[in-house]
Amino acid sequence: MPDEEKAELDATLNPEAPQAGTSSRSFLRYLSEEINPSLGSIPLLACCFATGLTDGTLYNAYGTFVSMQTGNTVFVALGTSGQNTKPFGWARSLCSIGCFTIGCLAFSRLHKLTGGGRLRRTLLFSFLVQTVCVVVAATIIQTGIVDGTYPSRRDPADVDFVELAPVALLSFQAAGQIVNSRGLGVSEVPTVVITSLLCDLVSDERILQPVRENMKRNRRALAFVLTLLGAICGGWISKATGAVQPSLWFVGAIKGAITLSWLGLR
């Protein structure tokens, strides 16, 4: 039977096969589209709330930040003179700084491998990795591998280095947020830094412009407020529940929702 006749017969017997191939190619093309930075800033603003929620919870429980590395740098410096108030608190902060740095390297390389920071597939995969890291960290604490009670019932002198596991995972994923903000071209919402954000906000010569005429100022102001609200919520949630993991499950849900949102944003 000639090849042309075979092709016609296959198309007759399997009418859905060409459509399936076309659908797959269309979906791959869809994943290769660039995200509009203006719309892409919305999930990044949600990340600001997640950052405040995470750091507000983790600092109370383990004495370190996982997103804001300026504070961790000071904690490490104080540890060199034995003035960090928690035993080996400097080690947790050093772990966070190291994993955040590794995360920045890994996520920036991911952007290169997938074709660019504005592509739908890049953002989708990046936030999927971040979501998995948060869920694994929450699971480690939920299962009791790491003490998640707040305030901790352990003797302050009793150091549990297993606590470094969730700190490492959460610091690594936090790096993805700022790399994504740079890749999208929305550097006014760094998601993990407040100092430079406030500086840029108040030094903006157009700070008093009408709302619709200065979107960068609007995003900076929202980013600050959402980070503050997230930290407040983190403190109240851990106080009300007496545990660390509820806040982390909340962050995991936020990250999961952001991951799915990249499939819809254009």
Side-chain angles (χ1 to χ4, degrees):
M1 182 183 293
D3 291 342
E4 293 178 2
E5 293 182 9
K6 281 186 178 181
E8 289 179 8
L9 181 60
D10 289 342
T12 303
L13 296 175
N14 302 294
E16 295 182 1
Q19 295 177 3
T22 303
S23 298
S24 297
R25 287 192 294 272
S26 297
F27 183 65
L28 289 175
R29 282 196 298 270
Y30 183 68
L31 291 179
S32 299
E33 292 178 356
E34 287 195 354
I35 298 292
N36 183 334
S38 295
L39 290 176
S41 66
I42 298 172
L44 293 179
L45 288 169
C47 286
C48 294
F49 180 82
T51 291
L53 187 60
T54 308
D55 272 345
T57 302
L58 267 289
Y59 177 75
N60 268 342
Y62 305 126
T64 190
F65 299 112
V66 293
S67 301
M68 305 195 183
Q69 301 303 328
T70 303
N72 283 337
T73 302
V74 173
F75 293 155
V76 171
L78 290 173
T80 62
S81 57
Q83 295 184 73
N84 195 308
T85 56
K86 290 198 173 187
F88 291 98
W90 60 269
R92 297 184 186 89
S93 297
L94 186 61
C95 172
S96 179
I97 294 171
C99 291
F100 183 87
T101 304
I102 293 170
C104 288
L105 177 64
F107 282 104
S108 63
R109 293 299 178 269
L110 170 66
H111 283 200
K112 280 188 170 292
L113 288 173
T114 53
R118 290 189 180 182
L119 298 185
R120 190 184 309 280
R121 62 171 178 257
T122 302
L123 292 159
L124 183 68
F125 186 65
S126 174
F127 274 87
L128 178 62
V129 172
Q130 293 172 47
T131 303
V132 170
C133 287
V134 175
V135 169
V136 172
T139 302
I140 289 172
I141 299 172
Q142 184 75 52
T143 54
I145 297 173
V146 171
D147 180 25
T149 57
Y150 175 80
S152 177
R153 300 188 185 96
R154 289 201 330 269
D155 184 340
D158 181 15
V159 179
D160 183 7
F161 285 104
V162 181
E163 291 174 355
L164 294 180
V167 169
L169 286 165
L170 294 170
S171 299
F172 178 85
Q173 66 84 31
Q177 297 181 175
I178 189 168
V179 173
N180 288 140
S181 75
R182 296 293 191 268
L184 263 175
V186 193
S187 57
E188 65 269 19
V189 187
T191 76
V192 297
V193 180
I194 290 296
T195 309
S196 61
L197 185 150
L198 284 176
C199 174
D200 293 340
L201 174 62
V202 300
S203 61
D204 187 350
E205 294 180 355
R206 301 174 60 240
I207 191 172
L208 298 179
Q209 290 291 318
V211 173
R212 295 185 179 181
E213 295 181 15
N214 192 343
M215 297 307 294
K216 286 189 175 182
R217 175 213 49 206
N218 299 345
R219 294 186 192 114
R220 290 183 183 116
L222 277 172
F224 173 74
V225 171
L226 287 169
T227 304
L228 178 62
L229 286 175
I232 292 171
C233 289
W236 278 105
I237 291 172
S238 57
K239 183 178 180 180
T241 62
V244 173
Q245 59 269 28
S247 292
L248 294 186
W249 288 120
F250 189 9
V251 172
I254 293 171
K255 291 275 185 169
I258 292 173
T259 302
L260 294 176
S261 74
W262 298 119
L263 290 173
L265 289 175
R266 294 182 178 273

